């Protein structure tokens, strides 16, 4: 068993009790009970809500708070109803109580709820130098003034760091090909922890954190240092997955979806190179990159909603994204549509839309009423953009005599 002797045992708080938050908490709780470098209890902040329990046949129907059900029955009846929770998980309806003296905070909640809670966390979180966070929030945001990407992990760091801390609060990210129900059921999956946590004495906080998130038998976590690229991948793949849903809704086959994923990963890489610094190209081969894109385009919620949007539109009975989200996601959030607009707005602000035909086409279908079958118009790579090069760089291996791939494919 690994030892970490220069830092006290971690106190762990998980902020969010949706399906992914609960699945993450299950793995973390099992590790916390096993390792002596973490306190056994894992507190999970629950946005409390009334849940109807009782089937009306054997037990009388009544309402109970979700947090109480989780603590009494050891199951999250709303988001993971068939999965038992470890005994050392404590559901807490108070953000303050969940985070008091915490040294490791796992953020897995809708982004719109993040900013209001950071001041509360800042007040009560441990001031020890090993206090840190990991974000599982798969969104990306842009500063309209600087026209730069504003990473969620950076917003967390800035929102919690203060003068009473001996070091600035550090936040990494966990992204990967991770469907919550499959993780909770024990199906094998991988994930990528990206962090640049400090080393205290002989204790590597990156490895300590990885071990608390990792299950070698079913949830294997690998560490990289490219926080920026990893986090951007986790958000951008949701946009591509909408396109995969359009393809499915149109009844197209695996060839089309394979092309969409190949072109999508290149646009993701190109975007990261254009708008972020020091992105490692190897990041796109990690679970947070290509693997997450594949999983999301096959079975994720954005693909599911994209398919429904396409089918309703083709049938002449279009539905709004809000209606589709409400009908299909059981209280979870649809991230890709909003991200597609943010990506498009940033590209337009720098006159780069033509360099990203797939991102642009998906936005136009989502927001401008473009025909769903126009998704095919986005499936090409502009000349000079091969291999994820930065915009303006020429590809020495490009021998298409100045024609872009779209025109070549049409003439083939």
């Amino acid at each position: 068993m690994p030892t970490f002797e220069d830092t006290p045992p971690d106190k762990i708080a998980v902020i969010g009790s949706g399906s992914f938050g609960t699945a993450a908490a299950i793995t973390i709780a099992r590790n916390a009970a096993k390792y002596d470098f973490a306190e056994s209890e894992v507190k999970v902040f629950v946005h409390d809500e009334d849940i109807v329990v009782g089937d009306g046949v054997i037990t009388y129907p009544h309402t109970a708070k979700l947090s109480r059900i989780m603590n009494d029955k050891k199951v999250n009846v709303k988001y993971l109803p068939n999965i038992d929770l470890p005994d050392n998980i404590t559901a807490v309806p108070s953000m303050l109580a969940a985070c008091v003296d915490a040294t490791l905070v796992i953020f897995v909640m809708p982004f719109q709820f993040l900013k209001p809670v950071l001041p509360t966390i800042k007040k009560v979180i441990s001031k020890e130098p090993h206090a840190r966070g990991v974000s599982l929030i798969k969104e990306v945001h842009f500063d309209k003034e600087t026209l730069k990407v504003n990473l969620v992990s950076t917003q967390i760091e800035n929102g919690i760091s203060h003068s009473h801390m001996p070091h600035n609060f550090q936040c990494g990210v966990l992204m990967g090909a991770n469907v919550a129900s499959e993780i909770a059921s024990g199906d094998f999956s991988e994930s990528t922890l990206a962090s640049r946590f400090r080393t205290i004495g002989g204790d590597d906080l990156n490895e300590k954190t990885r071990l608390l998130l990792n299950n070698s038998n079913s949830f294997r976590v690998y560490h990289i240092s490219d926080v920026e690229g990893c986090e951007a991948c986790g958000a951008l793949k949701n946009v591509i997955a909408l396109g995969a849903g359009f393809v499915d809704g149109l009844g197209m086959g695996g060839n089309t979806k394979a092309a969409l994923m190949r072109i999508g990963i290149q646009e993701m890489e190109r975007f990261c190179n254009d708008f972020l610094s020091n992105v490692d190209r190897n990041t796109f081969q990690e679970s947070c990159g290509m693997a997450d894109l594949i999983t999301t385009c096959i079975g994720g919620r954005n693909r599911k909603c994209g398919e429904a949007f396409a089918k309703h539109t083709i049938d002449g009975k279009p539905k709004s994204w809000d209606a589709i989200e409400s009908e299909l996601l059981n209280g979870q959030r649809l991230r890709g549509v909003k991200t597609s607009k943010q990506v498009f707005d940033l590209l337009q602000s720098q006159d780069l839309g033509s360099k990203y035909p797939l991102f642009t086409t998906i936005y136009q279908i989502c927001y401008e009423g473009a025909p769903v079958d126009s998704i095919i118009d986005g499936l090409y790579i502009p000349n000079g953009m091969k291999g994820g090069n930065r915009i303006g760089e020429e590809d020495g291996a490009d021998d298409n005599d100045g024609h872009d791939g779209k025109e070549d494919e049409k003439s083939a």
Side-chain angles (χ1 to χ4, degrees):
M1 180 180 293
T3 59
F4 294 86
E5 299 177 350
D6 294 323
T7 50
D10 274 316
K11 292 185 176 182
I12 304 171
V14 178
I15 310 302
S17 59
S19 57
F20 197 22
T22 304
I26 290 171
T27 298
I28 294 167
R30 289 171 178 163
N31 287 328
K34 177 173 65 174
Y35 294 131
D36 60 6
F37 53 80
E39 293 191 3
S40 179
E41 182 184 33
V42 174
K43 295 181 179 179
V44 178
F45 169 72
V46 177
H47 179 67
D48 237 349
E49 52 189 308
D50 290 324
I51 303 294
V52 177
V53 295
D55 58 12
V57 178
I58 298 174
T59 57
Y60 188 77
H62 63 282
T63 59
K65 294 295 185 183
L66 179 59
S67 60
R68 181 165 184 174
I69 297 171
M70 289 174 65
N71 289 329
D72 290 346
K73 304 295 184 182
K74 288 302 175 184
V75 64
N76 186 332
V77 295
K78 180 166 185 179
Y79 295 108
L80 282 179
N82 300 313
I83 305 297
D84 293 333
L85 303 179
D87 290 338
N88 58 322
I89 284 181
T90 301
V92 182
S94 163
M95 181 72 68
L96 188 150
C99 295
V100 64
D101 294 329
T103 59
L104 177 59
V105 181
I106 310 298
F107 297 87
V108 51
M109 58 194 297
F111 176 80
Q112 65 265 32
F113 301 125
L114 176 66
K115 188 174 181 180
V117 306
L118 290 179
T120 298
I121 298 174
K122 179 177 180 177
K123 290 179 182 177
V124 299
I125 195 172
S126 170
K127 308 304 186 292
E128 294 293 330
H130 65 293
R132 62 205 185 280
V134 177
S135 170
L136 281 63
I137 301 171
K138 293 185 176 182
E139 293 196 28
V140 64
H141 297 266
F142 308 104
D143 189 311
K144 293 182 179 180
E145 295 181 0
T146 64
L147 299 180
K148 292 183 178 180
V149 177
N150 191 4
L151 297 172
V152 174
S153 58
T154 302
Q155 295 179 56
I156 292 172
E157 290 178 343
N158 293 338
I160 293 180
S161 296
H162 56 70
S163 59
H164 297 298
M165 284 184 167
H167 303 280
N168 288 335
F169 185 82
Q170 294 181 302
C171 187
V173 298
L174 184 76
M175 304 285 163
N178 306 142
V179 176
S181 60
E182 295 178 10
I183 295 171
S185 298
D187 293 350
F188 180 83
S189 61
E190 297 179 314
S191 197
T192 305
L193 170 66
S195 62
R196 294 189 290 268
F197 297 136
R198 60 183 62 91
T199 296
I200 299 178
D203 291 358
D204 180 356
L205 297 183
N206 296 300
E207 178 62 6
K208 188 178 185 182
T209 307
R210 188 193 72 81
L211 288 169
L212 288 169
L213 295 166
N214 178 73
N215 180 329
S216 296
N217 294 323
S218 61
F219 187 63
R220 198 163 294 168
V221 178
Y222 298 93
H223 177 262
I224 63 174
S225 60
D226 181 11
V227 177
E228 294 81 2
C230 182
E231 183 171 339
C233 279
L236 294 174
K237 55 90 180 179
N238 288 327
V239 181
I240 306 302
L242 288 172
F246 299 155
V247 166
D248 289 341
L250 290 163
M252 296 177 175
N255 293 342
T256 311
K257 188 178 285 189
L260 179 136
M261 288 189 284
R262 184 187 77 87
I263 293 167
I265 196 71
Q266 290 204 16
E267 288 205 5
M268 288 166 57
E269 183 176 353
R270 193 178 312 133
F271 182 94
C272 289
N273 286 331
D274 283 332
F275 294 103
L276 295 169
S277 300
N278 303 316
V279 173
D280 185 348
R281 189 167 193 177
N282 292 323
T283 296
F284 300 92
Q285 306 305 316
E286 298 287 344
S287 181
C288 63
M290 192 66 200
D292 196 6
L293 178 66
I294 292 171
T295 295
T296 308
C297 287
I298 292 173
R301 71 184 72 161
N302 290 277
R303 187 222 62 83
K304 182 179 182 179
C305 291
E307 180 181 20
F309 179 88
K311 287 182 175 179
H312 287 302
T313 302
I314 293 168
D315 290 343
K317 300 176 182 178
K319 288 191 177 182
S320 70
W321 288 109
D322 286 342
I324 292 171
E325 178 187 80
S326 177
E327 290 177 7
L328 298 182
L329 297 189
N330 190 34
Q332 295 178 312
R333 305 299 295 179
L334 176 61
R335 300 185 177 110
V337 175
K338 180 179 178 182
T339 302
S340 74
K341 185 178 189 309
Q342 293 174 323
V343 168
F344 181 78
D345 287 347
L346 182 58
L347 295 176
Q348 288 297 99
S349 71
Q350 300 194 28
D351 197 25
L352 295 177
S354 63
K355 306 299 184 181
Y356 291 83
L358 185 53
F359 278 146
T360 298
T361 301
I362 291 171
Y363 164 81
Q364 290 170 340
I365 294 171
C366 289
Y367 282 94
E368 295 184 349
V372 178
D373 60 8
S374 67
I375 187 66
I376 301 303
D377 296 336
L379 297 184
Y380 72 96
I381 298 174
N383 190 40
M385 299 297 106
K386 304 271 184 180
N389 288 346
R390 289 177 181 272
I391 288 175
E393 293 181 356
E394 295 297 327
D395 185 346
D398 186 5
D399 294 324
N400 65 2
D401 297 326
H403 299 294
D404 65 27
K406 186 179 180 183
E407 293 182 353
D408 289 344
E409 290 168 4
K410 284 186 175 181
S411 63

